[in-house]
Amino acid sequence: MNSVIIRTAARLMLPLLLLFSVYLLLRGHNQPGGGFVGGLVAASALILLALAGGVGDVKALFTIGLARTAMAIGLLIAFGSALLPLLMGKAFMESIWMSDYVPASVLPTEFDFGTPLLFDIGVDIVVLGMVLTVVLSLMGEVEEWRS
Amino acid sequence: MAFIVLSGFGLAILAPCIVRALKHRAVGVIALLPVGIFLSLLLAAPLIFGGEAFYSVIRWAPSLGLNLTFRLDGLGLLFSLLVSGIGALVVVYAGEYLKGRSEIGSFYLYFLLFMAAMLGVVLTDNLLALFVFWELTSITSYLLIGFDHEVESARNGALKALLITGSGGLAMLAGFVVLGQVAGTYEISKLSLSPATNAAQLTIALALILVGAFTKSAQWPFHIWLPDAMQAPTPVSAYLHSATMVKAGVYLLARLSPTFSDSPSWMYTVSIIGIVTMLAGGILALKQTDLKAILAYTTISWLGTLVMLLGWGSSQAVKAAMVGVMAHALYKGSLFLLVGGIDHETRTRDIRRLGGLWKMMPSTAILTGISALSMAGVPFFLGFIAKELLLDSALHSGYSATFAWMAPVIVVFASLMNVAIAWRLFHGIFFQKAPRVPTGVATRTPHDPPLAMQLGPLLLGALTVIFGTFPALVNSFVSSAAGAVLAHKVEVKLAVWHGINTPFLLSLSALVLGSGLYLIYAAVAKLIDRLMLPIFDRIYGGLVQMIIEGSQAVTRVIQNGTLRYYLMTILLTASLLIGYALLVPAGGIPVPQVGSPSLAEVLLSIALITTAIMITQAKGRLAAIAGLGVIGALIALFFVLFSAPDLALTQFIIETLMVIVFLLVFHFLPRFFEEFSSKAGRIRDFLISALVGITASGLVLFSTANHFTGPGISEYFIENSYILAHGTNVVNVILVDFRGIDTLGEITVLVIAATGIYAMLKFRIFGRSTTERL
């Protein structure tokens, strides 16, 4: 499947899809979306690139090593967001919101940040890393077997 | 308070780096922590003596009753002083003992982890937290016994200790849960105040907790792990398997005795197991020839004594137990460290090969003498005070009149064995003339080990003498500890000389008879060797063998290596269990109430069913995979129809990725299904899938038919999503907040699975050799 059209389209789609994945992640708390699906979209964008032009194309951007590191970092962020409340005298995973500490007048309207969002970011990165690790390793195997 | 426990875990993680950076000077830095803990505990001591208790809480999972509650009272103070004080000495000792070993960094890692966990055990006030720390001590003990992991006996010893203390720990957890349910709290300090309500449940809890305490403190018949644990490096034996960890069971008995000591089974069970252990340990110690084995069995014997005292539970017995804990930690810790020094210098621990060392190792001889005298219970050594109290409480054991006379006799018998062994250690190593078996092991003339290895025995020996001569110094420690055990104030006035009374005469006769026993030692040891068979070791060996063979058989059946059978096992088990639950307890599957489906729903359903049938008829893998993808997409359309955009979105992407992954994996399988499945196989698969399908449909019908009365969980989530979790997307709020811990577990599983797949592909567990890719 080495078509120039798909390859070019995949490259053009990539930044849009990545942007869309971040959008999905951030709006997730109030509207359809979230970390899980955000990570999946970002991973699919890169997999599309790999399907169109081979694993080599993706590896220039995102190696398997990086994907594995991403899993670790994502997991750390998720656990960190769960442990953070302990430092503030709350229970494990009890959520902390910025609006509980900062007066509403200071914050931009409709803006709030808290540990659940941080947790969601961790989920996003884990999912991204996990899908890429699995799919890219499998693709690498298939390509190697063919050659 | 919390800092005292948690700082140990922190330093443990840093220990390997500290060792790498500072080489041999790291010991000094690492020892600062236990010294600091020891001193800060001493500073707090006067307040504890005044009857106060320090208290601190870290909320962990309050809804489960699991809090990291720490409480420092008299009992905790006594034990934590021992843990940190002896810990500091052993850190210094180990630096010299393990000098030149490359793994010294990981040694300190395990060692400090153990110390922190042990402090956790004696300082926490929550039963569940106590269990966690308790098991941590078992695990670190496993790592430390198996420190020389290239030696097979060390690995076996480590495993034995872990299996026995670990399963005891699990029994204890069950006991804690029962106790917590009966008492309504997991906080130990609140436990002792609430009156027992349900006697039967309390007995079950007691029995389970006793199993935990007895395995940990090496009580008969679980004592068999302790001698094998002697494979550990000697500083570990001194610290874990003599001074601290094995006393955790004793600590637990002491800690819970306000709750249980009124129950009649407590007194007899605990004290009789203690007596059997005390005698068995003493008798077995007599026949040993390895110095560490001798010390191990005498430790077992003394642990039995302590358990027996706590079983009696009188004020005098508890005092005796507290002094006993202290005296034993001081002399036995010291003896282990000295034996380590002797082993280090002569390269043998076999007492038959040793002799006449006093000329070469004079200061070791003197220090051993001090500890041996304390062990024998000679006046002006702390062991004497402990023995006086012990004999006195044996005279008032609380047994019914028929048996009451036996208690002092048994105690004197155990004491005289201790005297004979003390003689044997001191005389046998240092004065006995020529070795009976030619040595020829040591490469050079032995001499006293370096100062770092003598510091511990020196300080412990000094304390033995000082406390033995001026026992009033430990009055407050003993009274506050005993007060915590008995749950009322206790007056303690220790003195060396009480006049000529019964305990003194008994103590004297133990000394005389014990010395006499040493004279006929060889004959006695031979007799014991012939009479005592390692029955429990054999039972343990048989059990382990049985478990291994049993699990191998189960593994052969369930995990036979064929994915198809795995799937079959999983699906059949699930279907049969769910099917049973639906048909029998739930009383059958409800008839669905069909409303009027919309046109879209009808069309989608027809498409779904047609695709499903098509997949089963597909000849090749590509068609089957594509069909599965179509089904996934159609289900996503259903989600759209029922306005669940989150699910639809996720389902679409997941299905797409699944098709890609399937294509990649199926690349390595035969192109057509006929090549790997027979006709009979396909019929079997058809039956299984039909069963699974029917069960799944039944389950869906059951759960959608409105069985549940009252407000459901979904209403709660919808109502509270914005109020409690600041989010209007309920699905996402459930994922990251209400059910956050589930998600945390799930993403951890994802990472593990991905790492597993990666490793399997990268390192070619199957197929090509691993070296090729590395």
Side-chain angles (χ1 to χ4, degrees):
Chain A
M1 195 163 58
N2 212 342
S3 129
V4 182
I5 299 173
I6 296 182
R7 212 170 164 179
T8 318
R11 282 200 182 160
L12 287 174
M13 294 284 283
L14 183 69
L16 284 176
L17 283 171
L18 289 181
L19 206 62
F20 182 57
S21 88
V22 176
Y23 169 72
L24 278 175
L25 163 69
L26 292 180
R27 82 201 279 264
H29 213 61
N30 293 316
Q31 280 155 333
F36 191 78
V37 80
L40 285 178
V41 168
S44 335
L46 287 160
I47 289 169
L48 181 62
L49 199 63
L51 283 175
V55 181
D57 274 20
V58 178
K59 279 192 175 163
L61 288 169
F62 211 98
T63 59
I64 297 185
L66 193 58
R68 286 163 59 219
T69 319
M71 289 196 294
I73 291 173
L75 208 54
L76 270 181
I77 294 177
F79 269 99
S81 82
L83 289 171
L84 195 66
L86 284 180
L87 297 180
M88 305 182 66
K90 295 192 166 202
F92 182 72
M93 269 201 115
E94 199 174 333
S95 50
I96 303 172
W97 288 98
M98 214 180 210
S99 52
D100 293 343
Y101 295 89
V102 183
S105 50
V106 183
L107 291 172
T109 19
E110 302 269 318
F111 175 87
D112 204 353
F113 187 84
T115 48
L117 188 53
L118 197 63
F119 181 76
D120 222 6
I121 293 174
V123 172
D124 183 301
I125 299 175
V126 168
V127 170
L128 171 67
M130 179 261 169
V131 174
L132 284 182
T133 305
V134 172
V135 176
L136 291 185
S137 338
L138 278 171
M139 279 185 164
E141 282 303 300
V142 174
E143 277 185 14
E144 194 187 316
W145 188 79
R146 277 192 180 151
S147 59
Chain B
M1 272 302 300
F3 182 76
I4 284 181
V5 176
L6 300 179
S7 60
F9 291 112
L11 186 68
I13 295 164
L14 295 177
C17 309
I18 297 177
V19 169
R20 207 170 299 151
L22 297 175
K23 305 281 182 269
H24 59 275
R25 275 166 302 174
V27 176
V29 179
I30 291 169
L32 278 181
L33 181 76
V35 170
I37 293 175
F38 184 78
L39 291 178
S40 50
L41 287 166
L42 269 189
L43 282 179
L47 291 169
I48 304 287
F49 299 155
E52 278 184 59
F54 289 87
Y55 198 79
S56 83
V57 185
I58 298 176
R59 292 168 66 206
W60 185 251
S63 43
L64 298 174
L66 174 59
N67 286 319
L68 281 176
T69 330
F70 295 104
R71 186 164 175 275
L72 179 65
D73 63 356
L75 184 63
L77 180 72
L78 177 68
F79 276 89
S80 51
L81 278 174
L82 288 176
V83 171
S84 57
I86 297 181
L89 297 175
V90 175
V91 164
V92 174
Y93 181 94
E96 190 64 37
Y97 186 86
L98 296 170
K99 204 175 195 172
R101 293 278 299 264
S102 54
E103 314 95 321
I104 195 160
S106 38
F107 176 81
Y108 280 124
L109 168 67
Y110 306 150
F111 190 88
L112 289 170
L113 276 181
F114 167 77
M115 192 186 76
M118 190 66 209
L119 284 170
V121 168
V122 298
L123 290 178
T124 185
D125 194 36
N126 184 292
L127 287 174
L128 298 174
L130 191 146
F131 165 77
V132 173
F133 287 125
W134 181 281
E135 293 294 59
L136 268 177
T137 64
S138 290
I139 293 166
T140 43
S141 152
Y142 168 77
L143 292 168
L144 285 166
I145 297 170
F147 186 67
D148 293 314
H149 51 78
E150 63 282 0
V151 182
E152 196 191 352
S153 57
R155 294 199 300 271
N156 290 341
L159 191 61
K160 195 173 190 179
L162 183 68
L163 286 177
I164 295 180
T165 59
S167 27
L170 290 177
M172 185 185 81
L173 174 63
F176 282 170
V177 172
V178 176
L179 181 60
Q181 295 296 322
V182 175
T185 176
Y186 286 105
E187 304 291 304
I188 300 170
S189 49
K190 289 173 194 151
L191 212 60
S192 36
L193 300 176
S194 56
T197 41
N198 189 326
Q201 285 173 356
L202 217 55
T203 312
I204 295 171
L206 174 63
L208 290 166
I209 293 171
L210 285 183
V211 171
F214 288 164
T215 48
K216 196 76 162 180
S217 277
Q219 297 297 297
W220 179 90
F222 306 115
H223 64 279
I224 50 169
W225 69 266
L226 190 58
D228 288 10
M230 292 299 134
Q231 295 293 333
T234 305
V236 173
S237 309
Y239 190 46
L240 274 71
H241 306 122
S242 173
T244 59
M245 187 184 85
V246 288
K247 294 212 174 74
V250 174
Y251 167 82
L252 186 67
L253 293 180
R255 179 56 86 201
L256 294 178
S257 75
T259 317
F260 287 115
S261 55
D262 292 338
S263 104
S265 42
W266 167 277
M267 144 104 186
Y268 281 98
T269 323
V270 175
S271 67
I272 287 171
I273 290 284
I275 286 174
V276 174
T277 311
M278 175 172 80
L279 294 177
I283 292 168
L284 288 168
L286 285 172
K287 74 164 203 178
Q288 305 301 322
T289 53
D290 181 327
L291 290 177
K292 280 177 82 176
I294 299 177
L295 294 179
Y297 281 105
T298 52
T299 302
I300 292 173
S301 172
W302 189 251
L303 291 168
T305 314
L306 295 174
V307 168
M308 169 190 78
L309 284 168
L310 289 171
W312 289 342
S314 67
S315 161
Q316 193 71 358
V318 170
K319 281 185 221 167
M322 294 304 119
V323 180
V325 165
M326 208 188 292
H328 180 259
L330 294 180
Y331 78 70
K332 194 56 70 62
S334 164
L335 279 176
F336 265 108
L337 295 179
L338 290 161
V339 161
I342 293 165
D343 184 16
H344 198 254
E345 293 295 321
T346 63
R347 305 272 160 217
T348 180
R349 290 199 310 251
D350 192 332
I351 197 161
R352 288 166 303 180
R353 295 183 168 195
L354 295 165
L357 279 179
W358 70 276
K359 271 185 195 151
M360 295 163 230
M361 307 175 79
S363 87
T364 306
I366 293 169
L367 292 171
T368 309
I370 291 173
S371 299
L373 287 169
S374 185
M375 179 176 170
V378 172
F380 303 111
F381 296 89
L382 191 54
F384 173 73
I385 313 278
K387 190 164 288 183
E388 289 274 278
L389 286 166
L390 164 66
L391 289 164
D392 191 33
S393 36
L395 290 169
H396 312 95
S397 59
Y399 288 140
S400 58
T402 352
F403 301 108
W405 62 272
M406 284 171 72
V409 173
I410 292 169
V411 170
V412 169
F413 184 60
S415 303
L416 71 89
M417 289 193 287
N418 261 327
V419 174
I421 291 160
W423 268 115
R424 184 162 193 224
L425 287 173
F426 184 54
H427 182 257
I429 299 173
F430 297 103
F431 295 98
Q432 177 178 279
K433 267 176 275 163
R436 281 168 225 163
V437 183
T439 21
V441 194
T443 46
R444 61 197 165 86
T445 323
H447 51 75
D448 278 320
L451 181 65
M453 287 178 67
Q454 293 206 48
L455 186 69
L458 194 68
L459 287 176
L460 296 174
L463 287 179
T464 299
V465 176
I466 293 170
F467 291 160
T469 318
F470 307 104
L473 289 172
V474 294
N475 277 351
S476 340
F477 287 101
V478 176
S479 74
S480 66
V485 179
L486 295 160
H488 60 73
K489 263 191 133 24
V490 186
E491 195 73 24
V492 176
K493 286 207 175 76
L494 299 176
V496 180
W497 182 245
H498 287 288
I500 298 177
N501 52 12
T502 328
F504 179 74
L505 290 176
L506 288 174
S507 182
L508 204 65
S509 55
L511 277 175
V512 174
L513 290 171
S515 309
L517 178 61
Y518 182 59
L519 296 177
I520 51 163
Y521 199 96
V524 175
K526 199 173 280 177
L527 183 70
I528 294 169
D529 206 27
R530 200 161 304 160
L531 290 179
M532 301 287 271
L533 298 170
I535 308 164
F536 293 104
D537 276 299
R538 280 182 202 158
I539 293 177
Y540 166 83
L543 271 178
V544 169
Q545 191 64 28
M546 221 168 71
I547 292 169
I548 290 174
E549 278 166 13
S551 40
Q552 274 169 351
V554 171
T555 311
R556 265 197 303 277
V557 174
I558 298 180
Q559 304 200 349
N560 47 18
T562 314
L563 275 176
R564 200 183 307 188
Y565 289 111
Y566 287 6
L567 266 183
M568 246 153 50
T569 317
I570 295 169
L571 292 175
L572 274 178
T573 314
S575 308
L576 291 177
L577 286 179
I578 295 171
Y580 170 79
L582 283 177
L583 291 177
V584 183
I589 300 162
V591 183
Q593 292 168 333
V594 188
S596 48
S598 69
L599 181 65
E601 284 166 38
V602 174
L603 288 178
L604 267 180
S605 309
I606 293 170
L608 260 177
I609 294 168
T610 330
T611 325
I613 293 170
M614 261 172 58
I615 293 172
T616 59
Q617 298 308 309
K619 295 261 179 291
R621 59 189 187 206
L622 265 178
I625 296 167
L628 281 177
V630 170
I631 288 199
L634 289 173
I635 290 175
L637 279 179
F638 263 113
F639 289 143
V640 174
L641 274 185
F642 291 104
S643 39
D646 273 292
L647 293 181
L649 196 59
T650 313
Q651 174 82 7
F652 265 123
I653 304 178
I654 285 284
E655 283 304 329
T656 317
L657 287 173
M658 281 301 272
V659 168
I660 294 173
V661 171
F662 264 136
L663 280 174
L664 292 171
V665 174
F666 274 41
H667 189 85
F668 296 99
L669 293 179
R671 191 178 292 264
F672 296 105
F673 291 132
E674 271 157 14
E675 293 166 39
F676 58 102
S677 95
S678 65
K679 185 141 196 198
R682 263 175 283 170
I683 291 172
R684 178 200 58 203
D685 292 350
F686 170 77
L687 291 174
I688 292 174
S689 41
L691 178 68
V692 173
I694 291 168
T695 321
S697 315
L699 188 63
V700 171
L701 288 177
F702 178 76
S703 53
T704 46
N706 206 358
H707 274 286
F708 312 102
T709 50
I713 188 93
S714 11
E715 281 80 18
Y716 171 84
F717 283 150
I718 291 167
E719 267 168 39
N720 290 292
S721 169
Y722 194 72
I723 305 164
L724 292 179
H726 298 222
T728 48
N729 178 0
V730 185
V731 177
N732 198 50
V733 165
I734 291 173
L735 284 177
V736 299
D737 201 326
F738 289 143
R739 289 266 182 269
I741 291 183
D742 290 356
T743 312
L744 198 59
E746 281 153 15
I747 58 175
T748 313
V749 171
L750 285 186
V751 172
I752 295 169
T755 311
I757 293 171
Y758 177 78
M760 224 155 74
L761 290 173
K762 259 305 173 246
F763 301 120
R764 302 276 183 170
I765 293 171
F766 308 105
R768 270 180 277 167
S769 75
T770 53
T771 44
E772 203 177 320
R773 290 293 287 259
L774 291 168

